[in-house]
């Protein structure tokens, strides 16, 4: 076999193998995606639990934290988490959907909060030493919180163990 033909065969084999890699088997979920699009004008900051999707959803220019049960595509009531004088910034949900960590802006301050869905309670969590929280991530068990915090022009990550 000539060197040119060997190179052409190798190139063809490479192209065919790359085309096979191009199909990843990933498929959108049309049912749930349609339900999500119908329930809000836009969404940002997705966080996944086992069967839960928490996000910041916008409708008619108003942003709110929304928790969706992925089994049926329906939003779950979150009494007390969305307040008219607060703007959500970052959200994260535990695997079981019972805890939602939230950073929000309220009365000119940025606050770190924890929502316990089972009791419908929103609790403000202190940031020590003082700083401005920006992003939040809750572990699957809902017991460890990672918070990005700005302090004196520097970004830090605080890990907070929750009771």
């Amino acid at each position: 076999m000539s060197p040119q033909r060997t190179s052409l065969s190798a190139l063809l084999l490479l192209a065919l193998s790359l085309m096979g890699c191009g199909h990843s088997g990933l498929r959108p979920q049309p049912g749930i995606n349609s339900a999500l699009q119908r329930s809000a004008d836009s969404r940002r900051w997705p966080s996944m639990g086992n069967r839960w999707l928490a996000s910041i959803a916008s409708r008619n220019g108003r942003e709110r934290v929304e928790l969706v049960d992925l089994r049926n595509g329906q939003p779950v009531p979150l009494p007390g988490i969305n307040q008219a004088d607060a703007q959500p910034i970052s959200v994260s949900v535990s695997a079981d959907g019972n805890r939602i960590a939230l950073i929000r802006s309220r009365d000119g301050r940025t606050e770190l909060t924890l929502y316990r869905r089972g009791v419908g309670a929103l609790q403000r969590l202190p940031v020590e030493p003082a700083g401005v929280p920006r992003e939040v991530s809750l572990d699957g068990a809902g017991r460890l919180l990672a918070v990005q915090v700005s302090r004196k022009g520097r970004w830090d990550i605080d890990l907070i163990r929750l009771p």
Side-chain angles (χ1 to χ4, degrees):
M1 195 181 266
S2 74
Q4 289 175 337
R5 189 168 191 147
T6 302
S7 296
L8 184 58
S9 295
L11 186 60
L12 182 59
L13 184 59
L14 177 62
L16 287 173
S17 66
L18 289 176
M19 285 182 358
C21 293
H23 179 59
S24 65
L26 299 176
R27 285 179 261 145
Q29 303 293 306
I32 190 70
N33 289 348
S34 293
L36 291 171
Q37 289 171 355
R38 282 191 307 272
S39 70
D41 299 332
S42 69
R43 291 181 184 280
R44 64 184 178 92
W45 212 269
S47 175
M48 295 285 300
N50 287 338
R51 66 174 237 226
W52 309 99
L53 171 66
S55 66
I56 297 175
S58 177
R59 179 178 283 192
N60 301 324
R62 169 102 173 100
E63 288 191 322
R64 69 190 185 291
V65 174
E66 189 173 270
L67 184 66
V68 174
D69 184 338
L70 296 175
R71 290 184 307 183
N72 60 22
Q74 296 298 310
V76 175
L78 299 172
I81 197 171
N82 293 302
Q83 299 172 349
D85 63 343
Q87 175 72 33
I89 296 171
S90 173
V91 65
S92 183
V93 66
S94 63
D96 63 7
N98 287 326
R99 289 183 170 199
I100 299 172
L102 171 66
I103 295 176
R104 66 185 187 169
S105 176
R106 184 171 180 230
D107 296 329
R109 295 184 323 265
T110 303
E111 302 174 329
L112 172 62
T113 62
L114 181 66
Y115 183 76
R116 290 185 170 99
R117 195 164 60 95
V119 293
L122 184 66
Q123 172 187 5
R124 189 164 181 258
L125 302 175
V127 176
E128 298 293 334
V132 179
R134 181 65 185 158
E135 294 182 24
V136 65
S137 180
L138 191 58
D139 78 333
R143 298 288 183 202
L144 189 61
L145 194 58
V147 184
Q148 181 183 17
V149 181
S150 174
R151 292 187 181 99
K152 300 178 184 173
R154 174 191 156 126
W155 288 109
D156 291 319
I157 301 289
D158 287 356
L159 293 178
I160 302 168
R161 184 148 315 273
L162 301 170

